[in-house]
Amino acid sequence: MSSSALRTAVRRGVGGPLKSLLAGSGSQRPIASVAMASQAPWKLQGSRASGPSAWAPRSSHLAGPVASRRFQSTGPAQAEPANPPAPMIFEVLQENFVEAVVNSEEPVIVNCFAEWCKEQIGPMANAVSGTPGVKLAVMDVDKCPQFAAQLQITNLPTIFLFHKGKALDKQVGSLAPEGVASLVKKAQALSGAVGPTANELMVEAGKLLSQSKVQEALQMYMHVSQISREAHGASALSGMALCALAVKDNEAAKDLIETIKAEFPKNLEDPIVKQACNAVELTGDTVAPEAVMELQAKVEKDADDHASRHELALALFGMQQYGDAMKQCLEIIKRDKAWEEGKARTLLFKFFETLGNDHKEVIAARKRLASLLF
C-alpha cells in the first residue's frame, strides 16, 4: 500500500493507488466527500403544514486553508435524485401523525418528548441512523395533545414501536443503551431488512484494524460515513485517521483530526475520537534514527536517566514500536515509581488508551505493571 494513498484520498478523492485499496468496497465515493458529508449536526427542518419534516443536517462547509488544502473535489457535481427517499428520522405533528406513522408500511419508532427532555432523543437517533428498514418519528407532546391523550402518555419520555397501524411496544422512561439497541433490532426484524447497524459496523471495523486489516477497516469506516453521517461522522473519521497512521501516513491523519476538532467539538471525548487524537499527538513528527540511537546510548550509559528514557518511549511509540515504548515506561516505574509525580505511569496509561485494552502489547504491559505495583 502506498504511504500517500490516504493523503491522496483526503485531498483529491478516490483515484490512482487508492482504487486498489478500496477494491471490493462497492463504493468509489471520495473520502473527501465522505468527510464533508459527515460534519453537520441534526437540525429540524420543515413546517407544520409541510408533512413529515426531516431531521436533517445543516448545510456546512469548511473555510480557509483546511478546505483549500484537503477537501477539493475533482469529479462532476452529483445531481439530486428526482425522487429522494423519505427521511428515516422526522418530526410528526397533529396533521401528519396518521399518514406518517399509523399508515406506514414500515416499522416506526415514535419517541414522545417535551422540551425539557428532548436530549434523550439523541441515543435513539444515533441507533436508528444507519440501521436498514427502521424509521424514527419524534413527537413533541405539547404540539400533539390529541394524540398524546389517545396514546395515554402520562410520563416522559415514552417510546412506541408502530407497525402497520398497531402499537406493538411501549417503553416509558429513558432507555439504557441495551434497551435502545433491543428496540431498534426488533423494529428492523419487523421490516424484514437485513444488514448490520452502523454501531455494529464501527465495532467490526475496529476489530479489523486491530488485526492489521487496514484495507477492510478503511472500507467499513467509509461505509459508515455514508450511511450514518450525522450520528457517526466523528467516529468514522477517527477510524480513518487510525487507518492513516497504520500505513504511516501521518499527514493525512493530522488532516482528519483537524477536521474533527473543527466540526465535531462535542465529540472529542468519545472513546474512538480520543484514541485517534492521542495517537496523532503521540506519533507527532518522525524522530530521526540518529536521535533514537542517541537516546538509547544515554539510557544504556545511565539507567537512571529517566528523562531520556521518557523521551525514548515517545520516540519509539511514534515509530509504532509499541512494545518497546511501553517497556521503557515500565523500566522507569520499576526504578522510580514516583519520578516526576508518576510521569512514566501517566504516559503508559496514555499508550493504553491510544491502543485499546485488547491490543496484545497493552495486555502484556498491564500484566507487567501489575507485578511492579502490587
Side-chain angles (χ1 to χ4, degrees), residues 60-297:
S60 176
H61 61 85
L62 293 175
V66 171
S68 62
R69 188 171 82 252
R70 295 183 292 113
F71 296 103
Q72 300 298 325
S73 174
T74 58
Q78 299 294 317
E80 291 295 327
N83 297 299
M88 302 304 292
I89 303 176
F90 55 91
E91 183 180 37
V92 287
L93 303 168
Q94 288 282 150
E95 303 93 291
N96 59 39
F97 185 91
V98 172
E99 175 187 355
V101 177
V102 178
N103 293 341
S104 175
E105 290 296 316
E106 298 172 303
V108 182
I109 296 173
V110 182
N111 198 322
C112 305
F113 72 101
E115 186 67 22
W116 60 268
C117 65
K118 64 181 180 181
E119 292 299 323
Q120 56 80 36
I121 295 173
M124 184 64 73
N126 286 349
V128 169
S129 180
T131 300
V134 182
K135 291 185 176 182
L136 172 64
V138 294
M139 186 180 83
D140 186 338
V141 295
D142 293 327
K143 295 180 182 179
C144 305
Q146 177 182 341
F147 285 107
Q150 290 180 3
L151 293 170
Q152 299 181 356
I153 298 173
T154 57
N155 292 289
L156 293 174
T158 296
I159 302 171
F160 294 91
L161 172 56
F162 276 83
H163 188 221
K164 295 184 178 181
K166 297 181 180 179
L168 303 181
D169 203 337
K170 178 180 180 179
Q171 303 286 337
V172 180
S174 297
L175 294 179
E178 301 78 22
V180 171
S182 176
L183 188 61
V184 171
K185 275 293 187 183
K186 182 176 181 179
Q188 186 183 29
L190 289 170
S191 73
V194 295
T197 66
N199 285 338
E200 290 169 340
L201 288 171
M202 286 296 299
V203 171
E204 182 61 25
K207 291 180 180 177
L208 290 169
L209 186 56
S210 69
Q211 297 166 4
S212 299
K213 297 179 180 179
V214 182
Q215 176 181 344
E216 293 90 336
L218 175 62
Q219 291 170 355
M220 202 163 289
Y221 285 129
M222 289 181 65
H223 182 58
V224 172
S225 295
Q226 295 177 43
I227 67 172
S228 184
R229 62 184 183 229
E230 293 86 6
H232 299 88
S235 297
L237 288 177
S238 297
M240 290 161 63
L242 292 172
C243 289
L245 291 177
V247 295
K248 300 184 179 181
D249 195 346
N250 297 350
E251 185 177 345
K254 289 177 182 177
D255 285 346
L256 288 163
I257 295 301
E258 187 178 333
T259 300
I260 295 168
K261 289 180 177 179
E263 301 297 333
F264 296 95
K266 293 183 179 179
N267 294 97
L268 294 180
E269 292 300 314
D270 291 357
I272 189 172
V273 177
K274 198 170 183 180
Q275 179 186 9
C277 289
N278 285 344
V280 170
E281 177 188 342
L282 290 169
T283 300
D285 297 325
T286 303
V287 179
E290 297 80 8
V292 175
M293 292 175 63
E294 183 179 342
L295 289 169
Q296 289 173 332

Side-chain angles (χ1 to χ4, degrees), residues 250 282-286 313-322 325:
N250 297 350
L282 290 169
T283 300
D285 297 325
T286 303
L314 283 168
L316 291 171
F317 194 91
M319 297 167 65
Q320 298 186 18
Q321 296 180 24
Y322 302 133

